[in-house]
Amino acid sequence: MNRDELAYLSDGRRRVALAALLLEGRMRLSHAGRLYPVAGAEAGDPVLEAALAQRATLKESLAALAEHESVRAVEEDLLRRGLVTRGLLGRFRRPTPEGMRMVEEARTVKGRGQAIAVALNGLAGVSDDSIKRQFGTAKAGPLRGQGQGGWDARDYDIGSPGGSM
């Protein structure tokens, strides 16, 4: 499973967006709280390409990226493969038992790298305290740990399992 698939299965489209924006220090926050790509940052896939195009605040960028067609394509692929199922009235999507098994299996892999750690755990998966502080002070709520939490934006939850998508 790749970063985007694990992020989606862990917590939906907003986790995919968070993982892409935090990936390997390719994006930074300006002193004014707006995202910009680090010089020389390159996209390796459509989700990263969309992430590198963000030039808004963190909150705005997360919301826009979560709704971007590249992130929706991850969701549709997981639906097609039977790893996610439509929920109540087709609005919400939840991992199937097979999808959850794949997430739990990924959690046991040693040396999986920060990209996968963020995909699985949100901001709690970031090992760099300065990045946590940057993202944590951008109008964010509290950090939650224990591998189940992440980062809470004030208007919506992107860090808890089963958060809104």
Side-chain angles (χ1 to χ4, degrees):
M1 300 221 80
N2 69 32
R3 173 201 75 239
D4 297 331
E5 293 165 336
L6 288 171
Y8 188 92
L9 290 170
S10 294
D11 199 30
R13 291 192 314 253
R14 290 187 179 104
R15 178 67 61 84
V16 176
L18 180 68
L21 290 172
L22 286 174
L23 185 64
E24 300 168 8
R26 294 178 189 197
M27 299 291 288
R28 294 279 189 240
L29 284 172
S30 72
H31 69 281
R34 299 186 76 76
L35 283 171
Y36 66 93
V38 172
E42 295 180 12
D45 60 59
V47 174
L48 286 178
E49 186 176 321
L52 291 175
Q54 298 301 312
R55 300 290 186 281
T57 65
L58 176 59
K59 181 178 172 181
E60 294 164 343
S61 295
L62 283 166
L65 189 54
E67 296 300 322
H68 192 271
E69 64 188 62
S70 62
V71 175
R72 287 187 177 272
V74 172
E75 178 180 67
E76 291 303 317
D77 182 56
L78 291 170
L79 277 165
R80 182 186 53 74
R81 291 169 43 201
L83 297 173
V84 174
T85 186
R86 294 184 201 278
L88 182 64
L89 302 174
R91 287 186 58 207
F92 301 104
R93 283 135 172 98
R94 302 271 185 239
T96 62
E98 178 64 11
M100 288 307 300
R101 185 192 64 73
M102 295 177 105
V103 168
E104 292 308 314
E105 186 177 297
R107 288 186 192 284
T108 66
V109 175
K110 301 277 188 224
R112 61 184 178 235
Q114 186 165 328
I116 299 298
V118 171
L120 293 170
N121 304 314
L123 193 57
V126 176
S127 59
D128 186 329
D129 287 335
S130 67
I131 292 174
K132 282 183 181 182
R133 278 192 303 276
Q134 277 188 316
F135 279 78
T137 59
K139 298 182 181 175
L143 290 176
R144 297 190 310 231
Q146 308 307 318
Q148 297 296 320
W151 182 84
D152 286 342
R154 289 184 183 191
D155 293 337
Y156 53 81
D157 184 9
I158 62 170
S160 64
S164 61
M165 290 184 229

